[in-house]
Amino acid sequence: MVHFRSIKELVERCEREQKPISEAMIEAEMAVSGRSREAIWNQMAQNLEVMEQAVKRGITEDIRSRSGLSGGAAKKVQEYLARGMFLSGHTVLDAVSKAMAVNEVNAAMGTIVATPTAGAAGVVPGTLFALSEKLEATREQQIRFLFTAGAIGYIIANNAFIAGATGGCQAEVGSATAMAAAAIVEMAGGTPRQSGEAVAIALKNLLGLVCDPVAGLVEAPCVKRNAMGAAVALVAADLALAGVTSVIPPDEVIEAMYRIGASMPRALKETALGGLAATPTGRALAAKIFGRPPAIEPQQTGD
Amino acid sequence: MKYRSVFDIIGPIMIGPSSSHTAGAARIGRTARALFGREPKEVVITFYGSFAQTYRGHGTDVAIVGGILDFDTFDPRIPRALEIAAERGIRVVFRLSDEEAPHPNTARVHLRDGRGSLELVGISIGGGKIEIVELNGFALKLSGNHPALLVLHEDRYGMIAAVSNVLAKHAINIGHMEVSRRERGREALMVIETDQGIPGDAIQEIAAIPHVLAANYVQPV
Ligand code: SF4
């Protein structure tokens, strides 16, 4: 059986066969698609390339979205970092900035890679490129980061959901954060088991997060949710690397996420009918952007 | 297993901001273009449901026109698609409808030039995936995930066998097939999704079958 259905199965296979999660994902992809390792590797390298460009644009250019709801936050944080006086940590804030960079580029109709969706596309590249600087990661390690993240997303997607419209933001930014946390652990030299713990710790802290985009646009609160997702991913990875474990195993956290998402009211699943979208300011912005009061129909689709 | 590939999770590469409202819209436009077979002179697009309400914020308008200009979901020219269409002398009209639609994210695309016209209805079902649900008045279901052959033919016996014989001869496996007609005994449309790409000579052979009126081939977009 090439597929892995659960984090437990994945971790046990990696331990038995003495390989990292990224390698198990590459092998599964080869078996399922019938494509060569080289073809799969190169496709992922191309994704990495696009992510890198998006990060670069977001932290250097003056990005503005069509609606005016987002843009410029990533650059501001880089400038703040450069001034040298900040409270959390350099890698954390760099990851936060780079995650927002991708989302701001996305909102401004730039080119991005959906990871796992367009709305949550910042967390994985944000942490990847911030950490690459700190660890002086090679291109190979960066590509492996994406396979490891993909393996976790693949399990979550097949056992729960990855779109705000189906499971709330916990399914979108929550999944991206869990994916990033596992990949950070592997890049930093941790074990597959520690990656699994990082998944549990990261996802637990985003359980219940609703999807309530202002005016139905993938901007507010999405950009900052990606920022916090990046921070949570790094801290969750640090906890796992320190040897901290989750009381509830990762697969059960994913199952809990599924149950919470299934029982979440429709108003909080990307319909822009509840949460932040339904605040006075949220409604006023929607009216301004669309030139009339928002009678927004439910969107039944991914991000 | 809903998701089979790591690239369903890490991917696709796309122009933002929304996989359903932007990437999906571009794919609907591009499928229309592929079926039309050339650049149109006139384009009329009708948005329904959520497409009608949020198209400006999501760039659904530029994305769908980008698709009609044959741009991929990740083509950086998408944000400028309306200007590019104007430069190329293509007249583009948008209409918003509050009519009931098959899906919240629905678009009707009408392409025209001096030689002919095409009208289709596409829906964006999530994560950038689309379906074409109507073509020139025929109800159908085309996912755009596989190569597909669309054969317009007279509604009479033996047509399905004749077409599938040609495919069998070229060792092409049919994944999904559907025939629809507007009226019995008039014209019918055969939609065949295949596992492999279809070579040009097979398409010509099918187009040459008696009572076949047209054969169109679309690759996954
Ligand atoms: S709030 Fe909704 S649209 Fe925004 S990132 Fe979260 S899931 Fe996506």
Side-chain angles (χ1 to χ4, degrees):
Chain A
M1 189 60 203
V2 287
H3 278 301
F4 28 83
R5 284 167 213 277
S6 63
I7 303 281
K8 180 168 184 274
E9 207 181 305
L10 174 65
V11 168
E12 283 173 358
R13 179 186 305 177
C14 289
E15 285 178 343
R16 198 171 52 242
E17 298 174 6
Q18 296 281 309
K19 58 178 63 140
I21 292 175
S22 53
E23 189 57 29
M25 185 71 247
I26 294 169
E27 287 171 6
E29 184 71 22
M30 286 168 65
V32 169
S33 68
R35 297 165 69 204
S36 69
R37 169 181 290 266
E38 202 194 350
I40 292 164
W41 186 267
N42 289 344
Q43 187 176 348
M44 198 59 97
Q46 200 188 341
N47 283 342
L48 179 69
E49 202 82 36
V50 173
M51 290 177 189
E52 192 167 34
Q53 288 307 320
V55 167
K56 222 175 253 163
R57 268 197 71 191
I59 60 178
T60 54
E61 290 178 25
D62 284 310
I63 306 279
R64 268 281 136 200
S65 71
R66 249 180 157 198
S67 72
L69 284 182
S70 69
K75 205 170 159 219
K76 260 187 204 147
V77 176
Q78 287 298 329
E79 287 157 7
Y80 175 73
L81 272 174
R83 291 201 289 275
M85 169 58 201
F86 43 85
L87 305 178
S88 54
H90 188 278
T91 305
V92 172
L93 282 178
D94 193 31
V96 161
S97 156
K98 287 174 175 164
M100 290 195 291
V102 175
N103 287 92
E104 290 181 333
V105 166
N106 177 57
M109 299 199 75
T111 313
I112 57 102
V113 183
T115 49
T117 60
V123 180
V124 168
T127 51
L128 163 54
F129 289 106
L131 201 66
S132 292
E133 256 181 63
K134 184 178 174 81
L135 299 179
E136 293 173 17
T138 62
R139 208 66 178 163
E140 165 165 359
Q141 278 179 299
Q142 293 184 326
I143 292 169
R144 284 193 176 275
F145 189 102
L146 296 180
F147 279 109
T148 304
I152 304 304
Y154 177 85
I155 292 167
I156 297 175
N158 282 315
N159 287 289
F161 14 51
I162 50 168
T166 45
C169 202
Q170 56 162 7
E172 211 166 283
V173 168
S175 298
T177 303
M179 288 159 58
I184 294 166
V185 167
E186 184 175 312
M187 187 183 254
T191 65
R193 189 160 292 273
Q194 288 172 329
S195 283
E197 295 300 332
V199 167
I201 296 167
L203 190 54
K204 277 197 295 195
N205 282 285
L206 292 161
L207 285 182
L209 192 63
V210 302
C211 172
D212 49 356
V214 169
L217 302 178
V218 194
E219 300 188 53
C222 314
V223 173
K224 279 126 194 163
R225 293 240 169 104
N226 276 263
M228 292 309 153
V232 169
L234 277 164
V235 176
D238 261 334
L239 289 182
L241 287 165
V244 175
T245 56
S246 172
V247 173
I248 308 297
D251 292 308
E252 292 180 38
V253 177
I254 293 169
E255 201 193 312
M257 189 269 270
Y258 177 73
R259 276 186 280 108
I260 294 167
S263 61
M264 215 176 250
R266 199 179 63 97
L268 301 175
K269 287 199 272 199
E270 219 198 9
T271 53
L273 297 169
L276 296 169
T279 56
T281 302
R283 283 184 198 283
L285 284 168
K288 204 174 115 201
I289 294 163
F290 297 124
R292 61 193 152 95
I296 291 165
E297 285 267 314
Q299 294 169 202
Q300 296 180 347
T301 52
D303 91 337
Chain B
M1 290 246 163
K2 290 178 280 180
Y3 295 81
R4 291 176 54 83
S5 167
V6 70
F7 298 110
D8 290 340
I9 306 296
I10 311 291
I13 298 174
M14 55 171 277
I15 300 287
S18 161
S19 40
S20 51
H21 286 69
T22 320
R27 281 178 165 161
I28 291 172
R30 197 153 184 240
T31 304
R33 163 64 183 266
L35 287 167
F36 193 58
R38 56 192 183 272
E39 195 168 277
K41 287 267 169 286
E42 263 183 60
V43 177
V44 181
I45 295 160
T46 313
F47 287 137
Y48 301 84
S50 169
F51 267 9
Q53 276 153 358
T54 68
Y55 75 96
R56 262 172 298 180
H58 283 127
T60 311
D61 49 354
V62 288
I64 202 162
V65 171
I68 292 167
L69 293 172
D70 208 18
F71 299 168
D72 213 325
T73 53
F74 51 82
D75 195 310
R77 291 172 296 178
I78 282 184
R80 286 194 56 248
L82 292 177
E83 293 142 59
I84 296 171
E87 284 160 24
R88 295 194 189 168
I90 305 171
R91 214 170 76 87
V92 179
V93 177
F94 287 99
R95 294 199 179 125
L96 303 182
S97 170
D98 48 18
E99 243 174 79
E100 274 290 317
H103 187 277
N105 298 329
T106 299
R108 177 180 293 272
V109 180
H110 197 155
L111 306 182
R112 251 195 312 253
D113 67 4
R115 285 162 56 199
S117 76
L118 170 141
E119 190 170 352
L120 66 68
V121 177
I123 61 177
S124 178
I125 60 173
K129 291 199 192 299
I130 63 153
E131 276 173 22
I132 304 300
V133 295
E134 194 189 307
L135 177 65
N136 292 335
F138 291 103
L140 58 96
K141 197 172 159 223
L142 183 68
S143 69
N145 289 338
H146 307 277
L149 185 66
L150 286 88
V151 183
L152 185 69
H153 59 91
E154 290 171 21
D155 185 20
R156 67 201 312 274
Y157 64 90
M159 298 307 296
I160 295 176
V163 171
S164 53
N165 274 342
V166 175
L167 293 175
K169 205 177 85 192
H170 288 268
I172 295 159
N173 191 34
I174 297 177
H176 179 84
M177 172 162 187
E178 205 177 288
V179 183
S180 84
R181 53 193 182 180
R182 285 176 294 206
E183 220 180 299
R184 193 165 151 190
R186 301 289 292 273
E187 289 176 354
L189 182 73
M190 214 182 286
V191 178
I192 303 166
E193 293 193 331
T194 59
D195 294 341
Q196 298 85 12
I198 306 176
D201 50 344
I203 298 163
Q204 278 169 13
E205 243 177 274
I206 288 170
I209 295 172
H211 312 293
V212 164
L213 304 170
N216 254 317
Y217 177 54
V218 264
Q219 275 167 325
V221 294

